[in-house]
Amino acid sequence: MKGWEKNIRRVVPYVPGDQPAGERLIKLNTNENPYPPAPGVKRALKEMDYDRLRKYPDPASLALTDCLAAYYGVEKDQVFVGVGSDDVLAMAFLTFFNSEKPILFPDISYSFYKVWAELFEIPYEMVALDEGFHILPKDYYRENGGVIFPNPNAPTGLLLGLEQVEDILQHNQDVIVIVDEAYIDFGGRSALSLLDRYENLLVVQTFSKARSMAGMRIGFAVGSPRLIRAINDVKYSYNSYTMNMPSLILGVEAVRDEAYFKETVGKIVKTRERAKERLGQLGFTFPDSMANFIFAKHEKAAAVRLFEALKERQIYVRYFAGPRLENYLRITIGTDEEMEELYRFLEGYLEEDGWKAQKNI
């Protein structure tokens, strides 16, 4: 090893889902919304004055933070925005998790948590889910340096009730508790309603799922003014201009069209519930997802072989190799037409004899 090599920071990176190219494929692997953004987004994109791009964007992102504050019924100084919820969460890790005590998060959860903890040299402990993949609030009653968990959880899709979220908060009032609500719009009650009672609560959401804006990279956090001031101080010490101008303009339009937002979410929820029926009829079992995906395993067919067979047919789902996950596929909810293509393939695959020889490989 050369002398300078020993000073390189080495971490195991997060592995994103495949982004396959091509038109004749069905992409059900990265939990994107199958429907286009709100009509106002398209209109604003066409009318955008490209000359504005030569200037820096507003470092405070006021147009978007003010819009979000009005929509969610909070004060303007309670909102922080960033380049997707990943950026917001990374900033939150840097800002709030600075104790010598370990932070706590589920062992089966968003795998970026572990990456950030190791990158920023934050001590951590992964708390095991129970046999049914549930988060148990009592497991978070112990001393720690902070708590973070997704709700609904990923990749399981299971929802923690608001009373259980508050239970965790009640037992962790001396540390920051982050509730990562990337999928909350597809089922359940947001922890935003708890903000008035818990100054140490930070709720993080994204435009990537329910608002069909994954390509624009918009995320936000809502918390007490003290928390938002702290995370802004870190932002301005790192990068003043985190949000680009098109994202700020189009993000506002996405929030304004509440009717379209509710219509799209309703379509996905309806398709999800139908998918539970169809997959169950095909022999799959899964936790009762409240997200825009289903975490499913088949009683006989090996997940990795099924994953590869689907990929050959240009149907992409997500496979996670690892303890307790190796026989599961995470299937994003697509359009009704896309899901029907998936069911047709699965019916044919499971009727054939070939997969039976693969199940124990």
Side-chain angles (χ1 to χ4, degrees):
M1 179 182 291
K2 296 181 180 180
W4 51 264
E5 289 184 286
K6 64 184 179 182
N7 296 318
I8 296 175
R9 187 183 298 277
R10 290 176 172 82
V11 295
V12 178
Y14 171 76
V15 180
D18 290 340
Q19 293 293 339
E23 297 180 1
R24 298 180 63 83
L25 58 85
I26 296 175
K27 192 170 182 294
L28 306 176
N29 66 328
T30 48
N31 297 343
E32 295 148 327
N33 196 311
Y35 301 106
V41 173
K42 182 177 181 180
R43 182 171 57 252
L45 190 59
K46 287 183 176 180
E47 297 173 355
M48 194 176 297
D49 179 5
Y50 80 96
D51 186 57
R52 295 179 64 183
L53 300 180
R54 65 185 176 83
K55 299 180 180 179
Y56 284 110
D58 174 15
S61 307
L62 289 178
L64 184 55
T65 55
D66 290 359
C67 181
L68 287 166
Y71 183 84
Y72 289 104
V74 297
E75 298 300 320
K76 297 176 182 180
D77 59 358
Q78 289 185 262
V79 180
F80 172 86
V81 298
V83 187
S85 59
D86 287 343
D87 179 51
V88 175
L89 289 166
M91 291 283 186
F93 269 62
L94 276 172
T95 306
F96 303 121
F97 294 158
N98 293 289
S99 170
E100 294 181 356
K101 301 172 186 176
I103 64 170
L104 305 179
F105 52 84
D107 66 333
I108 297 175
S109 188
Y110 188 28
S111 55
F112 230 141
Y113 299 158
K114 181 180 177 181
V115 174
W116 287 318
E118 293 183 350
L119 178 63
F120 302 141
E121 299 182 345
I122 300 167
Y124 67 92
E125 290 182 14
M126 296 189 294
V127 182
L129 302 180
D130 72 4
E131 292 183 358
F133 294 125
H134 298 94
I135 294 173
L136 300 179
K138 65 182 179 62
D139 291 339
Y140 295 82
Y141 288 0
R142 53 197 168 94
E143 195 172 19
N144 62 75
V147 175
I148 180 169
F149 57 92
N151 195 38
N153 195 10
T156 66
L158 284 172
L159 178 74
L160 200 62
L162 194 60
E163 297 79 8
Q164 294 173 294
V165 173
E166 184 166 16
D167 189 8
I168 293 174
L169 280 160
Q170 288 174 342
H171 288 85
N172 290 280
Q173 298 191 46
D174 59 343
V175 297
I176 304 301
V177 176
I178 301 176
V179 183
D180 181 358
E181 293 188 339
Y183 303 100
I184 195 65
D185 295 311
F186 301 106
R189 297 160 60 198
S190 172
L192 288 169
S193 61
L194 302 175
L195 286 171
D196 290 341
R197 301 203 293 278
Y198 299 95
E199 192 179 25
N200 62 320
L201 168 64
L202 190 75
V203 179
V204 177
Q205 295 191 16
T206 179
F207 282 47
S208 297
K209 315 302 181 185
R211 295 193 184 276
S212 306
M213 298 279 281
M216 293 308 300
R217 311 305 300 128
I218 304 171
F220 64 98
V222 186
S224 67
R226 292 181 64 184
L227 294 190
I228 300 305
R229 281 197 299 272
I231 198 170
N232 267 314
D233 286 345
V234 170
K235 168 194 169 179
Y236 287 121
S237 301
Y238 175 72
N239 182 359
S240 299
Y241 301 103
T242 56
M243 294 294 295
N244 66 70
M245 190 177 294
S247 291
L248 294 174
I249 294 170
L250 303 181
V252 168
E253 294 301 325
V255 175
R256 283 176 174 168
D257 198 336
E258 184 175 11
Y260 181 83
F261 167 69
K262 289 183 175 179
E263 176 188 356
T264 302
V265 169
K267 286 181 181 179
I268 293 170
V269 169
K270 184 177 180 180
T271 304
R272 180 192 69 202
E273 295 307 302
R274 177 59 176 155
K276 292 176 184 178
E277 294 179 12
R278 295 292 299 275
L279 291 173
Q281 292 166 359
L282 289 168
F284 287 89
T285 58
F286 37 82
D288 188 20
S289 175
M290 290 293 110
N292 68 334
F293 58 83
I294 294 175
F295 190 56
K297 70 174 181 179
H298 195 269
E299 57 187 16
K300 297 178 181 178
V304 64
R305 298 296 181 180
L306 186 50
F307 167 76
E308 293 295 343
L310 284 162
K311 191 173 180 179
E312 288 179 7
R313 192 61 66 90
Q314 294 288 285
I315 301 175
Y316 290 81
V317 298
R318 192 76 188 268
Y319 173 69
F320 298 92
R324 301 180 68 186
L325 304 179
E326 66 274 1
N327 204 33
Y328 283 87
L329 298 175
R330 193 192 68 190
I331 304 168
T332 302
I333 301 302
T335 63
D336 288 334
E337 293 76 17
E338 289 173 329
M339 299 305 288
E340 287 298 329
E341 285 290 325
L342 172 69
Y343 306 143
R344 277 194 290 271
F345 172 81
L346 291 173
E347 287 170 353
Y349 179 83
L350 295 171
E351 286 176 359
E352 293 175 358
D353 292 334
W355 68 269
K356 297 179 181 178
Q358 300 171 352
K359 65 180 179 180
N360 293 321
I361 297 176

